[in-house]
Amino acid sequence: MDAPKKVAFYTLGCKLNFSETSTIARSFEGEGFERVDFSENADIYVINTCSVTENADKRFKTIVKQAQKANPKAFVAAVGCYAQLKPQELADVDGVDLVLGATEKFKITDYLNDLSKNDFGEVHSCEIEDADFYVGSYSIGDRTRAFLKVQDGCDYKCTYCTIPLARGISRSDTLENVLKNAFEISQQGIKEIVLTGVNIGDYGKGEFGNKKHEHTFLELVRALDEVEGIERLRISSIEPNLLKNETIEFVSKSRTFVPHFHIPLQSGSNDILKLMRRRYMRELYTERVEKIREVMPHACIGVDVIVGFPGETDVRFLETYHFLNELDISYLHVFTYSERDNTPAAEMENVVPMKVRNKRSKMLRGLSSKKRRAFYESQLGTTRTVLFEGENKEGYIHGFTENYVKVKTPWNPELVNTLHEITLTEIDTDGLVRFKTAEKVFA
């Protein structure tokens, strides 16, 4: 009997991509393939691409080279957002055999014939208008948490963003299917589920192939809170205009939803928010943060922010800096603006020089470190529940509390994927938090 063909995966970008890679991997396993690590010798390498940052584009070529180094004869396929936006560009990369767009990626095994290398990259990519059906997915691999996709696509027209071009219109999984997937995950001993999507606050739209909302995000959250066997649920990232007070209040009393919100801001200047075509002003953002603090004073609040957008003068940047400095938030994800083809922002005037973008990015990253430190300090002396991860990092095991404080203790394999009540005691030199438990002190 022939040995099974081997397949390896590499994922760039967001949690949503990770959940989709997992689903694609399961389809290969269903066809009898054996999944191996990307660094190993495989018959086929699948790269799930991202188009959000300039860096992701460049990394693609490096990853293709890695695959060719492991096995020069291997078949290399590219899927994902970049594959939808610029299929020919990827197909032209030396060594790439197959490029699949947004609707084709979940049917990848249908496109594999004899796995012999092509003379040139073959492209199967739809018009993005055709990406109007929903494929549910979830990732299992890291034993402690799973990413569960509940929504895909986006109807927003932010001027800097290519996601609607790469993923199509906003559409959702049925509530019944989300609950079924959540139950399947819970049966595998996974303690935490992270909800993901492109715009998850828009959940319910397109659930039955139309624009009518059959269910709302709040109804989704309420239903998931009742799924047996799940210890923790985390909302990954939600637009401020879609994070309603009712949802915040429900999370504060919920059995499983943790007090951690990640809310994209993008700019603290209303002038820039208008240029970006965001759907709120900074005043609404402040209201959301204040509401969370009112009902969950210990919650962790993360913020996405873009620096160097066209028209961001020194004054407007300082508006953002001071706004964030005064806001009671816990950390920042800072993105340096990079031009994207076919977006209105790429045509805008008053371009900010790259040197200035980088300097501003550095300033906000410094502010993020300060905010995270202050948040961790505010949590010292409190009792929290930690879920330990599965990796031995230089002799330590790490874990996250429900409100996303990262803790460490000397490596102990018995702690992997277990929940413990701990008291946070001090911040270590590397910025992570030490703790003690009722059972014994973890030095």
Side-chain angles (χ1 to χ4, degrees):
M1 199 173 127
D2 289 343
K5 292 258 190 275
K6 292 178 179 175
V7 61
F9 296 87
Y10 197 108
T11 306
L12 290 158
C14 62
K15 294 183 178 84
L16 184 55
N17 271 6
F18 279 93
S19 77
E20 291 182 344
T21 296
S22 262
T23 297
I24 294 166
R26 287 194 289 277
S27 73
F28 272 94
E29 284 159 8
E31 299 279 336
F33 281 80
E34 180 191 338
R35 185 175 180 177
V36 297
D37 192 77
F38 201 82
S39 59
E40 294 177 44
N41 186 316
D43 299 285
I44 176 164
Y45 292 90
V46 179
I47 305 166
N48 194 352
T49 63
C50 166
S51 70
V52 170
T53 63
E54 202 64 59
N55 203 13
D57 302 2
K58 293 183 183 129
R59 281 185 64 197
F60 177 74
K61 288 178 181 166
T62 314
I63 296 156
V64 172
K65 280 185 183 138
Q66 263 176 278
Q68 287 183 300
K69 198 172 167 189
N71 180 4
K73 294 195 182 81
F75 190 88
V76 177
V79 299
C81 290
Y82 195 23
Q84 174 65 35
L85 288 174
K86 298 195 172 175
Q88 203 50 55
E89 208 170 283
L90 292 191
D92 291 342
V93 172
D94 190 36
V96 173
D97 299 290
L98 179 67
V99 179
L100 297 180
T103 60
E104 292 80 13
K105 63 188 169 193
F106 294 107
K107 301 179 290 202
I108 181 170
T109 53
D110 298 350
Y111 291 97
L112 307 174
N113 297 322
D114 58 357
L115 292 190
S116 56
K117 294 216 49 87
N118 293 330
D119 294 334
F120 51 86
E122 191 183 308
V123 173
H124 295 276
S125 152
C126 65
E127 291 300 318
I128 198 61
E129 288 72 30
D130 299 337
D132 57 359
F133 57 89
Y134 184 86
V135 178
S137 54
Y138 59 84
S139 79
I140 290 180
D142 174 0
R143 284 166 50 194
T144 50
R145 64 167 65 97
F147 299 130
L148 172 59
K149 173 181 163 185
V150 299
Q151 182 274 344
D152 201 350
C154 189
D155 293 340
Y156 287 9
K157 300 284 188 286
C158 301
T159 52
Y160 52 81
C161 186
T162 56
I163 299 275
L165 299 172
R167 284 187 168 271
I169 58 169
S170 178
R171 53 210 190 274
S172 308
D173 205 347
T174 62
L175 187 59
E176 185 188 10
N177 199 46
V178 172
L179 297 175
K180 178 178 88 65
N181 285 343
F183 182 72
E184 277 176 24
I185 293 167
S186 76
Q187 295 303 292
Q188 306 205 26
I190 285 165
K191 302 279 196 290
E192 181 176 312
I193 293 178
V194 184
L195 301 186
T196 92
V198 174
N199 187 358
I200 63 172
D202 213 14
Y203 175 79
K205 192 187 275 184
E207 197 179 343
F208 293 94
N210 56 31
K211 287 292 166 204
K212 190 165 105 307
H213 271 262
E214 189 67 23
H215 294 100
T216 62
F217 183 69
L218 179 59
E219 286 171 336
L220 170 75
V221 165
R222 282 186 173 140
L224 280 167
D225 198 45
E226 291 177 15
V227 175
E228 291 287 318
I230 299 170
E231 303 279 349
R232 280 185 180 181
L233 283 154
R234 205 177 285 276
I235 298 167
S236 64
S237 179
I238 183 164
E239 293 284 308
N241 50 306
L242 295 173
L243 177 58
K244 302 286 191 261
N245 284 345
E246 296 82 23
T247 305
I248 295 169
E249 279 168 8
F250 180 78
V251 169
S252 75
K253 301 182 184 81
S254 151
R255 178 181 72 87
T256 53
F257 276 90
V258 295
H260 176 205
F261 294 87
H262 193 90
I263 314 166
L265 169 69
Q266 311 311 15
S267 176
S269 158
N270 281 343
D271 292 334
I272 295 293
L273 289 173
K274 285 174 192 161
L275 286 171
M276 289 176 163
R277 284 198 211 139
R278 300 292 286 157
R279 298 197 174 195
Y280 53 87
M281 293 288 103
R282 58 188 255 167
E283 290 74 16
L284 176 91
Y285 198 92
T286 305
E287 278 174 34
R288 293 293 180 263
V289 171
E290 286 173 350
K291 178 66 184 176
I292 293 167
R293 287 279 166 248
E294 178 198 322
V295 294
M296 288 171 273
H298 61 297
C300 180
I301 304 174
V303 183
D304 284 342
V305 61
I306 295 171
V307 293
F309 190 80
E312 186 185 67
T313 58
D314 286 346
V315 170
R316 285 168 172 173
F317 169 69
L318 286 173
E319 268 188 83
T320 296
Y321 188 92
H322 293 311
F323 179 70
L324 288 166
N325 192 31
E326 285 158 28
L327 208 56
D328 191 358
I329 52 154
S330 317
Y331 65 90
L332 306 172
H333 279 172
V334 184
F335 298 91
T336 306
Y337 171 72
S338 62
E339 284 77 3
R340 283 280 168 267
D341 291 348
N342 302 317
T343 58
E347 311 296 318
M348 286 181 183
E349 295 173 351
N350 303 317
V351 172
V352 177
M354 197 46 88
K355 209 171 165 180
V356 176
R357 295 184 211 182
N358 291 337
K359 185 181 157 200
R360 289 175 183 173
S361 179
K362 204 172 168 184
M363 281 175 72
L364 283 182
R365 287 198 172 100
L367 179 61
S368 180
S369 301
K370 195 177 97 173
K371 287 282 185 185
R372 193 184 295 270
R373 176 96 193 181
F375 174 63
Y376 281 8
E377 282 174 357
S378 76
Q379 296 303 300
L380 295 180
T382 63
T383 299
R384 301 281 171 234
T385 305
V386 64
L387 173 59
F388 286 105
E389 309 272 313
E391 208 179 333
N392 182 343
K393 289 187 178 170
E394 297 173 359
Y396 286 93
I397 186 168
H398 294 161
F400 284 95
T401 62
E402 66 274 37
N403 61 340
Y404 217 55
V405 174
K406 193 173 185 182
V407 304
K408 64 185 276 199
T409 197
W411 172 254
N412 174 357
E414 287 172 21
L415 292 176
V416 172
N417 197 31
T418 60
L419 288 151
H420 292 262
E421 201 165 270
I422 59 167
T423 301
L424 306 175
T425 55
E426 61 179 323
I427 301 174
D428 209 344
T429 48
D430 58 3
L432 304 188
V433 181
R434 299 292 197 133
F435 57 87
K436 62 182 183 186
T437 69
E439 304 128 55
K440 63 172 182 169
V441 175
F442 283 86

